[in-house]
Each structure stands twice: as C-alpha cells, then as structure tokens.
Amino acid sequence: MSLAPLKTVNEKQLNTRSNVVHTPIKSNNNNNNNDSNNNNYIGNKENIVIQTNSNNKRTDYHHRHDQPPQKKKKEKLSSLCKTPPSLIKTRGRDYHRGHFLGEGGFARCFQIRDDSGKIFAAKTVAKISIKSEKTRKKLLSEIQIHKSMKHVNIVQFIDCFEDDTNVYILLEICPNGSLMDLLKKRKSLTEPEVRFFTTQICGAIKYMHSRKVIHRDLKLGNIFFDRKYNLKIGDFGLAATLANDRERKYTVCGTPNYIAPEVLMGKHSGHSYEVDIWSIGVMIYALIIGRPPFQSKDVNTIYERIKCRDFSFPKDKLISSEAKILIQDILSLDPLERPSVNEIMDYIWFRGCFPPSTKESVMVEVPNYENEISMAESLINFENCMEKSGMLDRNMNKEPLPIEKYYTTTTTSSSSSNSVLPHSLSPGGTKNKYKEVIDLDAQRKLNELARQARIRRAQRETIKKSLIPTSTNTIKSEISLRILASECNLTLNGILEAEAQKKMGGLPQSRLPKVKHPMIVTKWVDYSNKHGFSYQLSTDDIGVLFNNGCTVLRLADAEEFWYISYDNREGWIASHYLLDERPKELNRYLEVVDFFSKYMRANLSRVSTFGREEHHKDDVFLRRYTRFKQFVMFELSDGTFQFNFKDHHKLAISESGKLVTYISPSHESFTYPLVEVLKLGSIPNYPESNFIEKLALVKEGLKQKSMIVRVDQ
Ligand code: ADP
C-alpha cells in the first residue's frame, strides 16, 4: 500500500491558532502516562525510548527522555504538541476534537469524532518537533508500516493528514488504557489473565513477523485495551521492515527495561525478529511479578543486567514453575535459542486455567478464574483465543486435542467397594490420571526436544559465524568447483547418515565399513605469498600447488612426477613424466618442488606414521587447501578431507564420510568407522581431542566449501 503524501489541507488556516498555549494534561485516570508522582517502576522507566544511529548519536525522534538520573531531563517532544482546534477539517471531512487520551515521548493523543459520530484516536505530532529530514522519514516510516497492518490485536490505522501545526494519525480508539495502566492499578496480575494476554500478543507478533515487520518497542505501555478489553498493539514508531528474513538491523533502539541483549551488544551482528520475542518474556515476567526482570534505578545497570541475563524470581511472589520455564527460555541470551511465537504456545504453562475473555472489571477487580473455570473449559477458551488471534487455524488442525491432555489437577480416585461407576468412567479414574500425566509429560518432553534443537541451531550459527577462511587457493575452473562441491556434499551426507545410524543404535558388525587408512597430508608449508602451497603425503610424495593453479606432484618411490592443471571438461588433467624426460618449461617447477622437499625434510616433523598401503594404488594430490582460524582443511583428490586443528589434534574423513581417522598431537593415528566413534562420543583413549566439537567444525567447514563461489577472472 503506498502512502499518500501528507498535504496541507487548511488553506484557510482553519487549524492554526494564533496564541500558542501548552496543552494542559487532562489526566483521565486510565490513560495518564505522565505520572511524575507515581513511584511505580513503569511510570519512571518505561517511557524512556532510545534510538541511536550507527554513530551512536541520539536522533531527535524517539529520544523521548534523556537517561536519568545522571543527566538533566530534556523536555519531551510531545510537549511541543498543542491542543488541536475543536474542529479539524481535512479533505472535505470534519472531525470534532474530544478529550485528551494520553501522551508519549513524541505525540499527544486526542479523541476525535467524525460527522457520523464514529470515534477515533488522533495521534498528534507537532510539526515543530519534526526538525530534520531524518525525523520526517521516521514518521513516514511509522505511518507506512502501521498502515500496512491489519490484525485483530493491532490498533487499526485509519488515516493520516496534516494542518499547519500538526500531523494527525487517525487510529482505532482504545478507550480502556494500556497494560501498563492495568499493572499500575493492580500491581500484579493472575497467571490466567497473563496467559490470555500473551496469546493475543503472540497472535499480533506472528502476524507482524510474517509480514517482515519487527516492532522493536513492545512494552506494556504500547499495548492497549479496545472497548471489549481485547489487546491491541500500537506505536510503530520504532518498527522496521526487513527486505528478507536474513537481513539484520543495526540501530540501537528500544526501551531500556525491554531491550534485548543483542541490541546492546550486537553493533556488528545486528538484530532481528527475536528482539520482539525477548520483550514478550519481559512482559510476562512484569505482569506476574509486578516489575520487569532487569529493573534498576540506573539505566546503565539495567543494560549490564540484561547483557548478563541477571534476573531471578523473588521468593515472596507466587509464580508457577511452568511460567518460570517459559520466561527463562524466552529470556535466552542467544536470540536463536528463544522459542518462536508458535513454540511459545506449546509451553505447558498455557495448559493451565484460561479465561474466555478479559472482564470489564479487570482494572479494579482481581478475578478468581481458577475457581470459576474448569480445565475442559480452559482448553476451549485457549483454542478460541488462539484462533481469534490467528495463532491457530482450526482447519489445519482438524483433530482437537483430547481433553484429558489438559487436566493438570489430580483428583483422588474412589476405590471404595461401594462405587457404582466403573473405574474407567469415573472422572477421577486412574486411567484418566495416568493419561494426564503421560500426555503432559509427553508435551514437556516435546518442549525440551524443541529447546535442545534450538540450542543446537544456535551453536551451529555461532560456529558458522566464527568460521572465516583466512586463505585458500583460487580455483578458476567452474567444473573443478562443482566437483569439489559435490565431494563436500557427499562427505557431509555421509557424516549425517552416520549420525542417524548412531541415533538408531549403531550398525551391526557385518554392516560396518571396512577400515582403511586414508592417504593424508603429513607436512605442509604455506609459501603462497611467493610460489605456492607445498605438502608431503603419507606416501612421502611431495606436491606443490602453485599460485597459478597447477600442481606438480613428485613421487617418492620413483623418478617420476605428475603435472596437473585445470581442465574445462574434466576439472583437472594430469600428465605423467619421467624425471629424465621432462619438458624444459617444467624445470622451474621441479626446482621449487626440490626446494620445498629439502625444506620440509630439514624443518618439519611428519604428523603420522602411515605409509603407502595396499589400497593406495592411485596417486593423490591436493585439490584445495583452506586455512581457517581454528583449522586448516585439505581436500584431496581421492575424496579424503583432512582437518588439522590449532590444538594439534587432526581428523581425516574418508570413504564419503564413513571413516574417520584421528591423529594425536604425538602423531599416533587410528582409523574407525565414524558411526562407532559417534556411539562412544569421543575418540577411544583420547577424550581430550573433543571429537564432537571438532566434528561440528568439520561439518561447517564442509558446508562452507560446498558453496560454489564463482571466480570471474
Ligand atoms: P508516542 O509515539 O509518542 O510514544 P504513542 O503511540 O505511545 O505515542 O501514544 C501516546 C499515548 O496516546 C499513549 O500512551 C496512549 O495513552 C494514547 N494512545 C495512543 N494510541 C491510542 C489509541 N489508539 N487509543 C487511545 N489512546 C491511545
């Protein structure tokens, strides 16, 4: 949807007032955010919103407060906003201004009514607060993003227009205050209420994220109640759209108590959708406990606490263990470890008491849902709420979950001899009880599996990010690159297959691959800043991979050598020569090979005692080497991959991922079927080799090198 330009509509100066008077803050009890005498945490901290650009300079927009208490408070930009005239005329429509609704850092909000009597909220931004082009763009972005949203739990955008003094954003009216107002009144909420609120919030976030929008300022003060006390997320002032799911955002923004750790730390790695998930965790905690988890008087202390995830559950507040588990998982430092909105809904916590709606008396009365709503009703309410907020598509999920699944309360079964009903029909029957436990246990296990999977994914991402190649030989032939990529994939698949076999309990002896020691690189020297990369193989053959891409492989047990170069059809083409009959133009290459050979003999020790074996019939050469910070990776022409790690342990993966060879720092070498080592969890007798961690790096190295990066030269 394209945004209509904001045009001045009042040629007759209808909305311009001659004398500038500051808006009196009419505080209606629900909506007054400007609570200077309220010492509740929210009034003091929640409306500080920060946004810094990459130079770490604060921009005028959204810098709604300065950082207390060290610095002097700045006047809020919203205070520049004057009360609009009682009649606002725009594009042929008249709006009658009603009472003041509330104030943010940037805008003041008024009730307005159109000629037909419909009531809206007009978020009013003073034009003098839009000082720079950047600020104007930010406002337009807020409008554009908000305008594109349509969801039952998002404040509906209606229209926008301007007069000489203000820009007006017309919104669906939310006349019952915000979650922040509710918490201020009630001090803390019951878990059933918070379950209901969280479901509605998750529905809205799922919708936003599916449209590649990150809100980035989710907090209790930005979530409002509509007429029927349904929640509506508002204020898209810090929202951002992503061009694709891989894009990252780098602007440091948010509200101190709700800001995610990666926003504070990740100037380089950036942030994405997961920052909104983090704020859900902060909100659930705040609603149940009564204050946010990282609260402190000093903003910098809040940041320090967030960065090290320093929060706990106060002993004097009642909170269920299920809620704690959910909050702890959401507040994971690593964004990838946080559950998705769908996964949040799978948490056991939601299987507890669940109301059908929020009562109108919510502001003043503590509901007693636990006594009013049965567990069977809770299930229905939960599913209804999920469906209404877009978290559940009933058509997709035709089979409703059995009610037994949701029984958490254990009733004592009557086993007296005068009972009439058979055990299986009695509501407290052991069969039911058994089922309850099994089902909830199964759900718990599923949650745990999902958590483990997220942790593994996060670890993989960390490895991936840390794996940066420092040098490699450039391969100029496309077909060679394809061959290397397919070898990497073949071996990677072999490793994955071995991992799957291990999960199934391993392989019977008869199906284990036959152990054959592979040919490996026993010495190497990187002289690529001059000639190239030289290596010795376990056969004692010496190879030099020259900077121009060709290889000379001097055989150890014969007066012969290979000259290998790229070939557009075969990938590589090798020509065999007797030393005595070599063409003159290869003399220079052989001199360099000789030089390296002497150098390696004199200066380097052999890393393995392997020699030429029966099965080493074909000569092997090095197709590619890649030096990473953590290891050097060799890709040999017989499909063996070798990884020499910084800590002097080495691994070779051969036979398409079926065999692993371990070479210890003291040069002992052993070859095993990979599935057997996976079963043991480490190299026999060498637990210090950290095999599993190294295999994760191996897989990532293979993955990285399986990508075909074209070299257009
Ligand atoms: P800012 O961008 O300045 O933070 P907000 O969008 O948070 O502005 O709005 C400021 C205040 O206006 C809110 O705290 C709330 O009290 C009131 N408000 C905002 N939107 C609505 C709405 N749709 N209905 C009723 N009041 C609203």
Side-chain angles (χ1 to χ4, degrees):
M1 215 189 286
S2 71
L3 173 71
L6 293 171
K7 288 218 179 83
T8 308
V9 288
N10 59 333
E11 290 112 310
K12 291 177 195 152
Q13 306 287 295
L14 270 170
N15 293 338
T16 316
R17 293 174 313 143
S18 49
N19 53 347
V20 176
V21 212
H22 280 259
T23 311
I25 308 285
K26 286 183 230 155
S27 85
N28 91 9
N29 280 342
N30 282 349
N31 298 328
N32 180 12
N33 291 348
N34 196 22
D35 51 341
S36 52
N37 57 359
N38 186 332
N39 60 7
N40 186 300
Y41 84 91
I42 304 160
N44 296 335
K45 292 280 181 298
E46 196 174 60
N47 52 359
I48 302 167
V49 176
I50 56 157
Q51 180 170 39
T52 60
N53 57 22
S54 44
N55 300 328
N56 225 10
K57 276 191 195 144
R58 280 157 182 265
T59 52
D60 47 352
Y61 181 44
H62 287 298
H63 172 195
R64 301 173 192 197
H65 271 191
D66 214 332
Q67 290 194 9
Q70 303 96 322
K71 293 174 190 169
K72 245 177 95 188
K73 274 193 178 178
K74 259 192 187 174
E75 203 184 10
K76 280 205 277 185
L77 288 168
S78 57
S79 65
L80 299 170
C81 171
K82 312 297 171 290
T83 305
S86 53
L87 182 70
I88 308 166
K89 282 191 177 273
T90 172
R91 295 194 293 252
R93 252 190 222 173
D94 291 352
Y95 289 103
H96 304 271
R97 174 178 48 76
H99 70 262
F100 175 74
L101 286 167
E103 179 181 26
F106 192 53
R108 280 179 175 171
C109 215
F110 297 87
Q111 200 180 57
I112 62 170
R113 181 174 44 83
D114 71 8
D115 284 338
S116 72
K118 273 206 197 103
I119 296 189
F120 305 98
K123 186 168 165 172
T124 312
V125 178
K127 282 189 171 174
I128 46 166
S129 68
I130 310 168
K131 285 182 192 133
S132 60
E133 180 56 19
K134 196 168 177 179
T135 311
R136 196 183 77 93
K137 280 204 177 123
K138 286 248 127 220
L139 179 61
L140 287 180
S141 154
E142 169 176 352
I143 293 170
Q144 189 130 35
I145 294 175
H146 201 160
K147 193 174 175 181
S148 70
M149 300 277 105
K150 187 165 175 53
H151 186 273
V152 277
N153 300 113
I154 294 178
V155 174
Q156 186 55 49
F157 178 96
I158 311 284
D159 197 3
C160 64
F161 51 87
E162 65 187 305
D163 61 20
D164 274 357
T165 33
N166 296 317
V167 172
Y168 302 92
I169 303 173
L170 223 64
L171 303 168
E172 162 188 12
I173 183 98
C174 291
N176 292 313
S178 67
L179 273 179
M180 180 175 78
D181 300 317
L182 173 65
L183 192 62
K184 270 193 222 162
K185 284 266 172 90
R186 294 263 310 274
K187 308 296 178 221
S188 67
L189 306 185
T190 63
E191 289 193 25
E193 292 172 283
V194 184
R195 276 184 201 111
F196 186 87
F197 294 150
T198 308
T199 308
Q200 293 200 324
I201 294 169
C202 281
I205 296 174
K206 181 178 171 164
Y207 170 86
M208 279 181 223
H209 291 185
S210 72
R211 274 153 184 79
K212 299 193 170 45
V213 169
I214 324 175
H215 187 283
R216 304 202 296 183
D217 199 18
L218 289 171
K219 57 181 179 183
L220 302 179
N222 280 340
I223 305 181
F224 306 103
F225 286 108
D226 71 4
R227 283 181 215 285
K228 293 184 175 161
Y229 284 87
N230 284 305
L231 286 183
K232 307 263 175 172
I233 295 180
D235 196 355
F236 284 76
L238 294 186
T241 39
L242 296 181
N244 57 61
D245 289 342
R246 287 183 310 282
E247 195 197 330
R248 316 278 301 164
K249 292 288 172 191
Y250 295 88
T251 310
V252 178
C253 63
T255 298
N257 265 314
Y258 296 82
I259 217 161
E262 66 270 27
V263 178
L264 297 172
M265 325 256 273
K267 291 242 174 67
H268 304 292
S269 51
H271 62 262
S272 184
Y273 302 114
E274 301 86 3
V275 299
D276 287 345
I277 304 285
W278 174 273
S279 341
I280 300 175
V282 174
M283 290 193 284
I284 299 176
Y285 182 108
L287 291 171
I288 299 175
I289 302 293
R291 60 179 156 78
F294 305 102
Q295 194 198 345
S296 166
K297 281 195 197 106
D298 162 38
V299 178
N300 289 323
T301 313
I302 297 181
Y303 293 156
E304 285 316 307
R305 291 191 60 193
I306 292 172
K307 281 195 253 177
C308 48
R309 196 180 177 262
D310 170 20
F311 78 98
S312 57
F313 296 98
K315 297 225 161 43
D316 57 330
K317 293 271 179 189
L318 261 185
I319 176 164
S320 66
S321 57
E322 283 83 8
K324 284 185 191 171
I325 291 173
L326 174 61
I327 293 167
Q328 273 158 343
D329 280 6
I330 295 182
L331 297 182
S332 294
L333 276 187
D334 190 326
L336 293 179
E337 282 185 27
R338 287 172 214 153
S340 65
V341 267
N342 283 327
E343 285 173 326
I344 288 177
M345 290 294 118
D346 285 339
Y347 272 72
I348 298 278
W349 182 59
F350 288 94
R351 309 297 190 265
C353 174
F354 201 101
S357 59
T358 301
K359 286 181 184 169
E360 282 189 17
S361 57
V362 64
M363 286 282 173
V364 287
E365 213 174 82
V366 182
N368 190 4
Y369 291 128
E370 311 265 0
N371 289 335
E372 292 169 5
I373 302 168
S374 74
M375 283 302 156
E377 283 163 346
S378 285
L379 159 66
I380 295 164
N381 296 339
F382 175 46
E383 290 204 336
N384 283 341
C385 183
M386 283 219 289
E387 191 176 21
K388 278 189 200 140
S389 61
M391 287 303 311
L392 175 79
D393 184 349
R394 254 193 240 273
N395 298 328
M396 300 269 288
N397 194 5
K398 282 203 188 81
E399 286 280 311
L401 295 163
I403 283 170
E404 288 92 332
K405 229 181 177 176
Y406 289 80
Y407 275 93
T408 45
T409 43
T410 36
T411 35
T412 39
S413 69
S414 147
S415 58
S416 65
S417 54
N418 63 354
S419 53
V420 181
L421 294 170
H423 237 62
S424 56
L425 284 180
S426 145
T430 46
K431 195 177 166 199
N432 263 356
K433 266 209 315 188
Y434 179 68
K435 213 167 180 178
E436 291 156 24
V437 176
I438 294 288
D439 284 339
L440 280 178
D441 263 3
Q443 185 64 47
R444 224 168 254 133
K445 276 192 194 119
L446 284 175
N447 291 162
E448 184 52 27
L449 284 176
R451 198 178 73 87
Q452 299 285 345
R454 285 196 302 272
I455 292 173
R456 280 198 303 276
R457 182 169 55 121
Q459 282 166 348
R460 273 203 307 276
E461 282 302 311
T462 313
I463 293 176
K464 201 164 138 187
K465 269 190 224 141
S466 75
L467 211 62
I468 300 158
T470 51
S471 71
T472 185
N473 53 308
T474 318
I475 304 224
K476 291 175 191 154
S477 137
E478 171 118 15
I479 186 80
S480 304
L481 283 168
R482 284 186 189 283
I483 292 169
L484 285 167
S486 86
E487 294 277 16
C488 285
N489 278 321
L490 202 69
T491 298
L492 194 57
N493 283 338
I495 297 174
L496 296 178
E497 198 180 323
E499 285 177 337
Q501 287 162 349
K502 178 239 154 181
K503 275 203 189 117
M504 306 294 283
L507 284 180
Q509 202 67 28
S510 58
R511 284 191 53 212
L512 284 176
K514 197 164 164 267
V515 169
K516 288 191 271 181
H517 297 310
M519 190 138 23
I520 57 167
V521 173
T522 52
K523 296 180 181 183
W524 61 273
V525 51
D526 185 355
Y527 207 14
S528 54
N529 58 353
K530 190 136 188 233
H531 299 293
F533 191 93
S534 178
Y535 54 94
Q536 185 194 62
L537 297 166
S538 35
T539 49
D540 284 344
D541 297 347
I542 304 272
V544 176
L545 178 43
F546 287 94
N547 287 342
N548 66 2
C550 77
T551 287
V552 170
L553 185 74
R554 168 82 168 81
L555 303 182
D557 51 5
E559 295 294 289
E560 293 163 19
F561 70 94
W562 290 97
Y563 174 78
I564 303 147
S565 58
Y566 295 122
D567 178 77
N568 277 341
R569 271 182 304 174
E570 306 283 331
W572 289 267
I573 189 154
S575 322
H576 183 257
Y577 295 97
L578 297 175
L579 263 187
D580 292 347
E581 295 168 11
R582 62 178 180 248
K584 268 209 305 286
E585 59 272 25
L586 295 184
N587 272 346
R588 176 81 193 118
Y589 288 120
L590 282 152
E591 276 166 27
V592 177
V593 175
D594 258 5
F595 161 78
F596 278 125
S597 171
K598 281 184 195 133
Y599 175 86
M600 288 195 285
R601 209 175 310 136
N603 297 297
L604 305 176
S605 63
R606 231 179 116 92
V607 298
S608 151
T609 47
F610 282 170
R612 186 180 278 281
E613 304 212 355
E614 246 317 272
H615 56 272
H616 294 154
K617 290 195 186 76
D618 291 335
D619 291 319
V620 167
F621 66 97
L622 178 68
R623 282 167 169 169
R624 183 161 61 181
Y625 70 89
T626 310
R627 297 180 67 179
F628 295 95
K629 214 171 66 219
Q630 302 91 328
F631 58 86
V632 190
M633 175 175 173
F634 299 116
E635 294 170 64
L636 295 170
S637 59
D638 64 349
T640 296
F641 290 85
Q642 184 179 331
F643 302 82
N644 289 11
F645 292 91
K646 265 266 145 68
D647 60 4
H648 306 292
H649 295 267
K650 299 171 182 70
L651 293 177
I653 310 282
S654 56
E655 300 293 315
S656 308
K658 289 192 185 69
L659 295 179
V660 58
T661 299
Y662 167 69
I663 303 140
S664 75
S666 49
H667 305 169
E668 288 111 337
S669 345
F670 311 90
T671 302
Y672 307 95
L674 177 58
V675 60
E676 292 289 281
V677 181
L678 287 170
K679 255 173 77 183
L680 293 169
S682 68
I683 303 285
N685 307 319
Y686 291 92
E688 72 279 13
S689 62
N690 290 331
F691 173 72
I692 297 296
E693 285 85 348
K694 289 198 166 63
L695 191 66
L697 282 167
V698 163
K699 288 199 298 193
E700 212 39 66
L702 286 166
K703 226 180 262 171
Q704 219 180 81
K705 300 307 284 186
S706 69
M707 280 177 266
I708 301 171
V709 184
R710 264 225 181 83
V711 188
D712 295 316
Q713 282 177 350

